[in-house]
Amino acid sequence: MDQAKKQEFEALIAYEIEKTQKIIEDFKQISQPVAPDNAIGRVSRMDAINNKAVADAGLRQAEDKLKKLNYALSKIDSEEFGICRRCGGDIPLGRLALMPQSLFCVKCAK
């Protein structure tokens, strides 16, 4: 991969990191504990608990994505970037454009 493409991907990864950090902050706000003394009714309370569980799952996924994006950014200047960890082949540029944190090519990711 040439230097211009690497710079393009570096900017893309930085943008994705910024976007993911905002998502994480939103999920942290949503996933606040549901107070037991809150008189919202039994059904509404169960709904609030369910919504918190969904937000917690989203938070975990966003934090995992952020970790992978930071790793990809740290490897952007190495020869490992854009190379599949399993087969050693090139990861298609389209896949890297959509998922810059990808460590595997499409075939190996299955």
Side-chain angles (χ1 to χ4, degrees), residues 6 13 68-82 85 103:
K6 283 188 178 187
I13 292 170
K68 289 177 181 177
L69 285 167
N70 283 321
Y71 179 78
L73 188 60
S74 73
K75 295 294 183 180
I76 194 101
D77 289 325
S78 75
E79 294 191 16
E80 295 175 30
F81 184 76
R85 286 271 179 96
L103 298 176

Side-chain angles (χ1 to χ4, degrees), residues 89-103:
D90 289 338
I91 299 173
L93 296 180
R95 179 171 174 82
L96 286 175
L98 291 174
M99 297 175 56
Q101 71 273 18
S102 297
L103 298 176

Side-chain angles (χ1 to χ4, degrees), residues 21 39 51-52 57 64 68 86 90 105:
Q21 286 173 334
N51 289 342
K52 182 188 177 325
D64 184 52
K68 289 177 181 177
R86 185 165 293 142
D90 289 338
C105 67

Side-chain angles (χ1 to χ4, degrees), residues 4-99:
K5 273 289 185 205
K6 283 188 178 187
Q7 288 177 340
E8 188 178 318
F9 280 112
E10 185 173 12
L12 176 67
I13 292 170
Y15 171 74
E16 285 292 322
I17 286 173
E18 183 179 324
K19 190 170 78 170
T20 304
Q21 286 173 334
K22 288 178 184 175
I23 291 170
I24 287 171
E25 288 305 313
D26 290 343
F27 275 129
K28 284 182 179 179
Q29 290 295 322
I30 295 170
S31 65
Q32 295 295 320
V34 179
D37 60 341
N38 196 350
I40 58 176
R42 185 174 150 237
V43 173
S44 296
R45 181 164 173 68
M46 292 303 293
D47 192 39
I49 291 170
N50 186 44
N51 289 342
K52 182 188 177 325
V54 171
D56 286 342
L59 177 62
R60 283 190 303 275
Q61 287 178 344
E63 288 173 338
D64 184 52
K65 180 180 179 181
L66 182 62
K67 184 175 76 173
K68 289 177 181 177
L69 285 167
N70 283 321
Y71 179 78
L73 188 60
S74 73
K75 295 294 183 180
I76 194 101
D77 289 325
S78 75
E79 294 191 16
E80 295 175 30
F81 184 76
I83 303 297
C84 177
R85 286 271 179 96
R86 185 165 293 142
C87 70
D90 289 338
I91 299 173
L93 296 180
R95 179 171 174 82
L96 286 175
L98 291 174
M99 297 175 56

